[in-house]
Amino acid sequence: MPLKDVMSPHVNDLAMRRACEELLYIDARSTPRTRSGRVRLDWATPKQQVLQAMLVTCLMSSSQAPHPVEHPGKRCLSGIQGYLNVILSRPDVLEVYTNTACRIASRLMPVRYNGGHIAGIPGLRFLNHTKRRVRLLHLPTGARLDLIESHVSSWFTVRDMRRTFQQETRWHDATKMERLWDRPDLTRDEEAHKELWALKPCTPLRSAIMTRAMSFWYKNDIYPDWMPPLPGTHYPRLVWDVDPEERQPKAAHIGALLTTSPIAIPGAAFHEHGADDGLLILGAGGVNLISADPIARVLRRGPS
């Protein structure tokens, strides 16, 4: 057997660890691994995949294309990506490292505005917190989300975390809204949004994109909007603006990153339709990747 064939698994593993550090900002010591020590990014169980898939549609949005559960007059969901440091998918929990765990929780946990509008993730519930973690549970799926403080001083205590959490969620007590995140059961208003956590052919693909979202936002400085299929078409769209002067990557580059690089989505394929358009496929699900001129871009948005 040629020496290169014997060494290739280790070489590939080293390349993936380095890519995780460079593209996803994951420290090699924190990268999830198999029992044999191999690096692996996609650990999510089916219920965790549903939560991760839902988060992609919520966080990959903008003020121009707000998500249906965005806060009125605010950019709470679409602005969250600016606070994130590392995203790690584990079998029973999605770990998100941030410098503002309580603030992110306050934007993700659901509230009901006067008139019945739900803002935040319907069904998301506060479990508890430590001095570093805010633990959240999604009732309909049973999936878990932990928001973790990336840097905590030795003097910071659980009491300090409780105080910070109370301060960051104080705006939920305004007369125009009602907290839902401390309810024991799913409310009727939240149930009306069950399409958000419905299992779909593109759920595993969206989940995998969430695991690699830092490569969009930070490494490549692009902020995609998740959009429904155009009339008469089948696949949803992930669309972002490309400023020619900034040299942001086009769809073909991101498609290659997600299918041929060390952080490729296992089993995914990309069918290029030109530099600015292509279809990313995983199993029965797919999404059109579209890099657009901001002037020519036509925004359409609906439930994912």
Side-chain angles (χ1 to χ4, degrees):
M1 181 181 297
L3 181 59
K4 65 178 182 179
D5 292 337
V6 175
M7 296 180 62
S8 59
H10 305 285
V11 172
N12 291 339
D13 192 52
L14 177 61
M16 186 172 183
R17 283 191 281 116
R18 289 176 174 172
C20 286
E21 291 182 338
E22 179 185 355
L23 301 174
L24 305 178
Y25 306 93
I26 301 174
D27 187 284
R29 295 167 296 180
S30 303
T31 309
R33 299 169 183 271
T34 65
R35 288 185 177 181
S36 63
R38 302 298 300 278
V39 175
R40 181 176 167 186
L41 290 175
D42 301 288
W43 287 92
T45 60
K47 67 180 183 180
Q48 287 293 138
Q49 284 187 348
V50 172
L51 175 62
Q52 294 179 188
M54 182 167 56
L55 284 173
V56 160
T57 65
C58 292
L59 302 187
M60 291 191 173
S61 61
S62 69
S63 57
Q64 293 176 301
H67 194 276
V69 295
E70 181 62 277
H71 291 258
K74 298 184 178 181
R75 293 186 60 240
C76 288
L77 297 179
S78 58
I80 283 176
Q81 72 270 9
Y83 295 92
L84 307 186
N85 298 328
V86 176
I87 298 171
L88 287 177
S89 175
R90 301 193 186 278
D92 58 347
V93 62
L94 179 67
E95 294 184 339
V96 176
Y97 288 77
T98 171
N99 293 335
T100 55
C102 294
R103 181 167 301 174
I104 298 305
S106 77
R107 298 183 180 194
L108 287 177
M109 297 187 304
V111 296
R112 181 184 182 275
Y113 283 79
N114 288 347
H117 176 74
I118 299 295
I121 307 296
L124 199 64
R125 294 296 186 266
F126 172 72
L127 284 179
N128 54 48
H129 65 73
T130 66
K131 74 173 186 177
R132 285 198 68 195
R133 293 179 183 248
V134 178
R135 296 189 173 110
L136 305 173
L137 170 71
H138 188 241
L139 280 180
T141 60
R144 279 273 312 282
L145 170 64
D146 279 14
L147 304 171
I148 307 170
E149 288 287 346
S150 298
H151 305 288
V152 176
S153 301
S154 58
W155 53 263
F156 197 78
T157 66
V158 174
R159 179 178 296 181
D160 294 321
M161 189 69 154
R162 183 183 305 114
R163 185 181 301 111
T164 303
F165 182 82
Q166 291 171 345
Q167 290 173 343
E168 291 290 354
T169 57
R170 189 171 297 162
W171 61 283
H172 291 179
D173 297 324
T175 55
K176 65 179 181 179
M177 65 180 65
E178 174 189 4
R179 295 184 179 193
L180 300 180
W181 48 266
D182 54 3
R183 297 284 192 90
D185 301 310
L186 198 67
T187 67
R188 183 175 299 177
D189 289 322
E190 290 175 294
E191 287 179 349
H193 291 279
K194 62 183 179 181
E195 177 67 13
L196 294 178
W197 58 82
L199 185 63
K200 301 177 182 179
C202 65
T203 294
L205 180 57
R206 285 187 290 159
S207 174
I209 290 174
M210 183 64 201
T211 304
R212 295 159 177 81
M214 297 297 286
S215 64
F216 286 83
W217 295 323
Y218 281 76
K219 183 62 181 180
N220 289 296
D221 195 29
I222 58 176
Y223 301 91
D225 288 337
W226 189 276
M227 299 183 177
L230 287 170
T233 65
H234 181 64
Y235 296 106
R237 298 166 291 151
L238 199 56
V239 185
W240 65 91
D241 292 339
V242 174
D243 186 337
E245 295 183 359
E246 297 294 333
R247 296 186 178 181
Q248 289 142 319
K250 296 188 175 184
H253 174 87
I254 298 300
L257 177 71
L258 296 177
T259 55
T260 63
S261 78
I263 65 163
I265 300 170
F270 182 67
H271 304 288
E272 184 177 333
H273 302 151
D276 289 308
D277 192 356
L279 181 62
L280 181 66
I281 293 287
L282 180 64
V287 57
N288 279 306
L289 304 182
I290 303 171
S291 49
D293 183 320
I295 298 177
R297 178 177 169 188
V298 178
L299 294 172
R300 293 191 178 108
R301 181 75 193 205
S304 57

